[in-house]
Amino acid sequence: MDQDLARTRLTTERADVERLLADTVAARTGRVVLSSVQAVGDPSAHLGGELRSFGLDAGSRQAVVTFDASLVRIPGKSGVEKQRFEVRVPVASIDAASAGPALNDAANQIAGQVADWVGR
């Protein structure tokens, strides 16, 4: 049961980060962001990636979010660009009350950095 709960939390975190990235890229770049299910035809760019970490580092008292992004700007005509984004936000204590806002801040910073990278 604990393993299923952990898997559900991880899936939810990834979906939330994907949604945050899509919203931020659209807002900062003016681009229409579609999922692979929504897209018809060839997109002008394809952003993918993996959420490598989303949690607390108790030793350093930091919320840590790490996202490895890949971007193909013109499918079929250009290579894949890769970039690692990592943000660490200090937390006063290792508890739920401190973790939530710090993780939210770190995720928002990651989304902004990714959007700026895509928009350049």
Side-chain angles (χ1 to χ4, degrees):
M1 183 67 158
D2 290 332
Q3 189 176 25
D4 290 338
L5 182 59
R7 191 174 301 123
T8 300
R9 284 184 185 156
L10 184 57
T11 301
T12 301
E13 289 167 357
R14 286 183 179 156
D16 290 344
V17 170
E18 286 175 7
R19 193 170 19 258
L20 175 62
L21 284 169
D23 291 348
T24 305
V25 168
R28 288 197 177 190
T29 67
R31 295 178 186 209
V32 175
V33 178
L34 302 173
S35 71
S36 59
V37 173
Q38 296 169 318
V40 176
D42 290 332
S44 62
H46 178 79
L47 175 66
E50 183 176 350
L51 184 61
R52 304 291 293 179
S53 64
F54 188 90
L56 296 178
D57 179 349
S60 66
R61 290 185 174 231
Q62 294 177 324
V64 181
V65 177
T66 307
F67 181 70
D68 286 344
S70 60
L71 177 64
V72 178
R73 293 189 186 271
I74 303 171
K77 295 187 180 182
S78 63
V80 177
E81 296 176 42
K82 294 187 177 192
Q83 178 79 31
R84 173 169 278 186
F85 299 91
E86 182 173 279
V87 172
R88 294 175 170 268
V89 175
V91 294
S93 60
I94 304 300
D95 58 23
S98 299
L103 285 168
N104 185 53
D105 184 23
N108 282 317
Q109 288 184 51
I110 290 282
Q113 291 174 11
V114 171
D116 291 345
W117 178 60
V118 169
R120 68 175 165 103

